[in-house]
Amino acid sequence: MNNDRLIADYCQRHSSLPLQELGELERETHLHTLSPQMLSGALQGQLLYLLCSLRQPAVALEIGTFTGYGTLCLAKGLPENGRIHTIEINAELAHISRKYFEKTGLASKIIAHTGDARLIIPTLTDKFDLVFIDAAKFDYDFYYELVFDRVNPGGLILADNVLWGGKIVAQSKDADTLAMAAFNDKVHRDPRVENLMLPLRDGLLIARKL
């Protein structure tokens, strides 16, 4: 095991889980989905929870539910009357996520949508204090612009997988990598935000709207 992995494992062992049910959800995701690596995981989940706890959003938005790990971490950090919209295009995953929404007692804070986020987001009437983008990589720029004017000043826009398996720094030329690199550069140059990129798991970008 290399040193980076040892460090990551050590950090994970010394970080709290927002919810005890997340370990069970992680096991079920590995057993019953084809791409379990898409799961947020313990370290990132705790960071999502802490960011949400600190920001205390009245309304949050997640683009890409998968099996609901990140959703639950964000929902746990919401204030008492807060809520999160989460959108997943793959209807076959809904039975897992909704099972754990109920099991954790957080279902009342979660508004789950199934379908194309590009069509669903324009139908929502809320303003957002936190947005988590974790969907098709070539759509990140589209989602960023789609939600930007609806993010309140001081609100957070988070984007997952911004290192794209290391392909970003390897300067790979496939379409997804080029799209992600362009998105990263755009956010970094955007005068409307201040940003931080973390080498956590597959990379997490945090942008705060000014």
Side-chain angles (χ1 to χ4, degrees):
M1 186 178 293
N2 63 39
N3 198 49
D4 288 345
R5 182 57 186 272
L6 288 171
I7 291 171
D9 288 347
Y10 181 85
C11 290
Q12 182 166 319
R13 291 195 305 272
H14 288 78
S15 298
S16 305
L17 273 179
L19 295 159
Q20 62 180 13
E21 293 87 356
L22 290 172
E24 185 180 342
L25 173 56
E26 183 171 4
R27 288 190 294 274
E28 187 161 341
T29 300
H30 278 267
L31 285 171
H32 300 298
T33 69
L34 296 176
S35 302
Q37 73 277 5
M38 292 170 59
L39 196 83
S40 291
L43 277 179
Q44 183 170 291
Q46 178 69 350
L47 179 59
L48 293 176
Y49 162 69
L50 287 172
L51 288 172
C52 204
S53 295
L54 292 168
R55 183 61 183 83
Q56 290 287 281
V59 185
L61 170 66
E62 179 185 43
I63 306 171
T65 313
F66 191 44
T67 57
Y69 195 108
T71 320
L72 289 168
C73 295
L74 291 167
K76 178 65 175 175
L78 290 171
E80 183 177 353
N81 295 321
R83 63 188 185 278
I84 180 171
H85 292 275
T86 184
I87 306 170
E88 174 57 48
I89 197 167
N90 185 352
E92 294 181 359
L93 297 171
H95 71 286
I96 299 177
S97 60
R98 296 186 190 222
K99 170 184 172 181
Y100 284 90
F101 296 166
E102 294 291 342
K103 193 168 188 174
T104 56
L106 291 169
S108 62
K109 291 188 172 186
I110 301 169
I111 305 167
H113 306 266
T114 303
D116 189 337
R118 293 171 296 182
L119 303 177
I120 292 172
I121 291 170
T123 71
L124 305 179
T125 58
D126 294 297
K127 288 268 194 173
F128 307 113
D129 298 304
L130 185 150
V131 176
F132 181 36
I133 304 172
D134 188 14
K137 309 313 159 191
F138 49 80
D139 282 334
Y140 271 34
D141 181 81
F142 178 86
Y143 291 134
Y144 182 79
E145 292 298 341
L146 182 62
V147 303
F148 196 90
D149 288 342
R150 298 175 58 182
V151 175
N152 290 318
L156 301 178
I157 301 175
L158 315 176
D160 199 13
N161 305 115
V162 291
L163 297 178
W164 200 224
K167 291 183 178 181
I168 292 291
V169 293
Q171 298 184 334
S172 298
K173 302 300 182 185
D174 62 277
D176 281 345
T177 304
L178 292 174
M180 184 60 73
F183 171 76
N184 292 341
D185 291 343
K186 172 180 178 170
V187 176
H188 186 55
R189 294 193 302 263
D190 191 344
R192 301 173 296 175
V193 302
E194 54 188 10
N195 64 292
L196 170 68
M197 184 178 288
L198 296 173
L200 180 66
R201 285 176 61 89
D202 197 24
L204 182 69
L205 177 64
I206 304 170
R208 177 180 176 271
K209 184 174 179 178
L210 300 175

